[in-house]
Amino acid sequence: MGWLWAIIVGLVLGVIARAILPGKQDIPLWLTVVFGILGSILGNAVATWIGVNNTKGIDWTRHVLQLIGAIVVVGVGDMLWQSVKGRGRGTRA
């Protein structure tokens, strides 16, 4: 059940991150999910580092940090995906 939950959270965070970032991110949906999962892991690590990973009630700070992590990972990942994708097209011609 943990993996299913990670995929769902990754999808939601990745899609929200793509909506927040300006411009069009030309990455496939599966990569959006992977980037969302990585952003969630990054946000959880930062939350643990600053000591707000486990609070009573809803962990709003942790969720915001997860979203920020997803935004960063989707933004950087999109740039990397475009450079790899673009380089692949250039070598075929």
Side-chain angles (χ1 to χ4, degrees):
M1 191 67 177
W3 284 104
L4 179 61
W5 187 245
I7 292 169
I8 292 169
V9 168
L11 174 64
V12 170
L13 285 175
V15 168
I16 292 172
R18 284 180 68 170
I20 290 174
L21 286 169
K24 183 178 186 296
Q25 292 75 41
D26 195 23
I27 55 176
L29 184 61
W30 67 268
L31 200 53
T32 302
V33 173
V34 170
F35 290 161
I37 291 171
L38 292 175
S40 176
I41 292 169
L42 178 65
N44 280 335
V46 171
T48 301
W49 180 63
I50 63 174
V52 295
N53 60 327
N54 194 9
T55 59
K56 291 184 178 182
I58 299 174
D59 295 331
W60 290 111
T61 305
R62 182 173 54 97
H63 295 316
V64 168
L65 289 171
Q66 288 175 334
L67 180 58
I68 291 170
I71 291 169
V72 169
V73 173
V74 168
V76 171
D78 180 55
M79 288 188 292
L80 292 172
W81 177 259
Q82 292 306 318
S83 69
V84 168
K85 187 177 167 185
R87 185 171 47 222
R89 285 186 190 159
T91 57
R92 290 182 194 155

